[in-house]
Amino acid sequence: MAESKLVIEGGHPLQGEIRIQGAKNSVLPLLSAVVLCDEDVVLERCPALSDVYAASRILTHLGCRCSFRDGKMEIRNGGISRSEIPEAMMHEMRSSITFLGPLLSRTGSCTLYLPGGCELGPRPIDMHLHALRQMGAEIHETHGMLRLQGRLRGADLHLPFPSVGATENIMLAAVLAQGRTRIHNAAREPEIRDLAEFLAACGAKISGAGTDTVIIDGVERLHGCVYRVMPDRIAAATYLSAAAAAGGSVCIQDCCPEDLTAVTEVLRQMGCRVYCHESRIYLQSSLPLHAAPYIRTMPHPGFPTDAQALLMAAHCKARGSCMFEETIFDSRYRHVDDLIRMGADIRLSGRAAVVHGVQKLSGTTVHATDLRGGAAMLIAGLTAEGVTELTELSHLDRGYEDPEGVLRSLGAKIERIT
Ligand code: EPZ
C-alpha cells in the first residue's frame, strides 16, 4: 500500500461522544482459540485491524474459512488440516505465538517460528515453552524454528511473572488437555477474563480467570459459539488522553470503566473531571493540565504499560513534572525522540523518564515507532501549534480502527493523505 500519513492541525478542543472498538488484545487470543473448536464461531464487535486480518490469514492457512463484514468475523471451521505456521505469517504478527497452545492441543504437533523481537525490545517466550514442557510437550528448536509434539496433560504451573501471553497460551493448551491445570501467578488483565468467557461459551471448564490463580479442567471437545468481544480499554485510554491533552469534554460509550481505574485516576490527578456511569466514561478537561507526580507501569490492575506513551504525550504541556517508570518492557520509550523534536522536555535514564511540562509543542513531521508510540504522536499533534505529519501508519493500523475518523467526529482537524 502506498505510504500514507496523517496530517493533524493542533489547537482544537475535542467535543462529543464515541463508541469504543472491540479489544485488539482480546480478539487476537480469541482467534487463536478458534483452532480448538470443531464448529463455526462468530465474533461480534470484531475490530477492523491489520493484526486481525493477519490472524484470520493464519486461520485460513490452518483450514478455516473467515469472512469479515460490519464488525462481525465469521469463521467456518471445517477442521484443522495443517499444524505449521509459515515464518512470514509468524513475523507479520508477534502475538501469533498464542496459536502454539491450541494447535499443539488440537493436532498433537505444531511447527512455528520464534516470533522474534519487536519495537518494544526482545519478546522472549521462555515462560510459554517451560509451561508447555511441564504439560508434556516435546520441544525442539533449531534456527528459530520450533517443533512441538505430544499429548498434553494438566499440570501445576507457576509463572515467574504474570505474563499475559503465557497465561493465554497455557489456558488454550489446557482446555483439551487430560486432567486439571492450575496457573499460579497468572496475569489478571481483563482480556484473560474475556478469553475464559469465550472458552466457557464453547464448553470449556475454567475458573479463576481475572485472579492470580486460573484453574482449567480438560474436556473432550469445544463446540462453536457467537461471542461479543470486550471493548478495547487501551483505545478508550487513548481517546481519553487525547481529550485531556487537547481540552474539551467527551463521552466514551460502550466501555468498561472498571478496567481503566488506574488511568482515570491519573487523569483526575492531572485536573480532569472524570465521571463513570455503567458503560460510559465522561471526561472534562480545561487546560493547562497539572502533572501527576509519578506513573509506574505494572501488571493489571496497576497502570497499564500500553497507556504509558499516551499519558506521556498528555504530560508534555502539563504544569510541573511527572516521573514515569516503565517496568514491563525493556525499551518502550521510542516515542520520546519525536516528542522532544516537537519541543517536549523529557529526560531518560534507564527505565525512568522525567517529563517537565513546557508552554508549547510545535507541529513537525514525526513517525510512529510502535503501536502506542504512534498514538502518543497523534495526541501530541492535537496539542501542538501548527501542523504535525505522522508517518509509518502501519503501526497505528495494527491496533486502532479508523483513528482519524474517531478523532474527526470529536472535532479534531485530521486527514489521512495517501
Ligand atoms: C500483551 O503482550 C499485549 N499484547 C501487549 O500489548 C501488552 O503490552 C502486554 O501484554 C502487557 O500487558 C497482546 O495481548 C497481543 P507479556 P505480551 O507476556 O503477552 C516478558 C499493545 O500495545 N516475558 O505480559 O507479549 C516480556 O518480554 C501490546 O497492544 C518473558 O520474559 O506481554 C515482557 O517484558 C504491546 N518471557 C513482560 O514479560 C515470556 O515467556 C510482559 O510480557 C513472556 C513474557
Side-chain angles (χ1 to χ4, degrees), residues 1-5 391-394 417-418:
M1 185 165 79
E3 181 61 36
S4 53
K5 62 186 177 184
T391 62
E392 317 271 326
L393 298 184
S394 58
I417 315 284
T418 299

Side-chain angles (χ1 to χ4, degrees), residues 64 67 74 98 104 109 126 140 179 260 269 276 289 299 335 358 373:
C64 300
S67 67
E74 298 191 12
T98 48
L104 177 58
S109 76
D126 52 304
H140 305 286
L260 274 169
Q269 286 177 17
C276 302
L289 295 171
H335 46 280
V358 295

Side-chain angles (χ1 to χ4, degrees), residues 131-170:
L132 291 171
R133 270 196 192 92
Q134 287 177 277
M135 295 174 75
E138 279 172 49
I139 302 179
H140 305 286
E141 185 189 331
T142 48
H143 310 306
M145 184 173 82
L146 276 176
R147 287 187 58 73
L148 290 85
Q149 57 191 32
R151 183 97 184 82
L152 294 178
R153 58 180 184 278
D156 240 25
L157 307 167
H158 292 257
L159 289 178
F161 178 86
S163 154
V164 172
T167 303
E168 290 164 347
N169 234 335
I170 296 165

Side-chain angles (χ1 to χ4, degrees), residues 90 93-101 112 115 125 128 146 169:
M90 284 298 296
M93 186 183 64
R94 214 207 70 78
S95 52
S96 39
I97 192 65
T98 48
F99 277 95
L100 185 60
L112 44 75
I125 56 168
H128 301 238
L146 276 176
N169 234 335

Side-chain angles (χ1 to χ4, degrees), residues 292-306:
Y294 182 50
I295 293 178
R296 183 172 192 235
T297 62
M298 290 293 281
H300 194 77
F303 187 90
T305 173
D306 293 347

Side-chain angles (χ1 to χ4, degrees), residues 1 4-8 14 17-22 47-50 53 232 234-240 242-243 250 252 310 368 370-379 382 390-417:
M1 185 165 79
S4 53
K5 62 186 177 184
L6 288 179
V7 180
I8 308 134
L14 300 185
E17 291 197 355
I18 54 172
R19 195 169 290 282
I20 287 299
Q21 69 185 57
L49 306 171
S50 54
Y53 304 142
D232 193 313
I234 305 302
T238 304
Y239 298 118
L240 287 169
V250 298
I252 310 256
L310 313 174
D370 58 86
L371 169 56
R372 308 303 173 184
M377 299 323 297
L378 252 189
I379 293 169
L382 292 171
L390 176 60
T391 62
E392 317 271 326
L393 298 184
S394 58
H395 292 289
L396 213 57
D397 294 336
R398 282 187 43 219
Y400 291 96
E401 192 175 56
D402 186 23
E404 66 273 18
V406 172
L407 289 167
R408 232 190 343 262
S409 76
L410 293 173
K413 296 278 180 288
I414 177 170
E415 291 297 329
R416 184 179 291 237
I417 315 284

